[in-house]
Amino acid sequence: MSLDLKRMGAASFLAGAGALWPAAFCAVTDAMLTPYQRALSGAWCGAGEPAFEFLGHCPACWAGAAAFLIAAAMILAPSRQLRRQAAA
């Protein structure tokens, strides 16, 4: 397997992880709640703790997704060594 295929596979994996991160993070967070915390979060129309949400996910969800997507972009970016070889 060439280096380019390995880089593409790693970048694809990280991009997929970034796409799945918000849903996975919320599922794990919900699974870790105690029965008392579940009852409290459902007592106020299911809103839970007051926090800023965008498309139904908190900032921690989007920060994790962004980290995976930035890592994928960094892997796909050409390295300095490849740029030197292309210039020579």
Side-chain angles (χ1 to χ4, degrees):
M1 193 186 266
S2 72
L3 180 62
D4 289 336
L5 287 177
K6 287 182 183 179
R7 289 176 62 200
M8 186 62 74
S12 297
F13 175 77
L14 288 170
L20 292 176
W21 179 259
F25 182 76
C26 289
V28 170
T29 302
D30 291 341
M32 300 297 286
L33 292 176
T34 64
Y36 179 69
Q37 289 171 326
R38 282 191 198 105
L40 283 179
S41 67
W44 294 287
C45 301
E49 297 177 16
F52 174 75
E53 290 186 356
F54 180 70
L55 296 177
H57 293 286
C58 65
C61 294
W62 295 114
F68 280 117
L69 294 175
I70 289 170
M74 289 175 64
I75 287 176
L76 285 178
S79 68
R80 290 181 184 173
Q81 183 180 14
L82 291 175
R83 282 185 270 172
R84 282 188 205 139
Q85 290 174 354

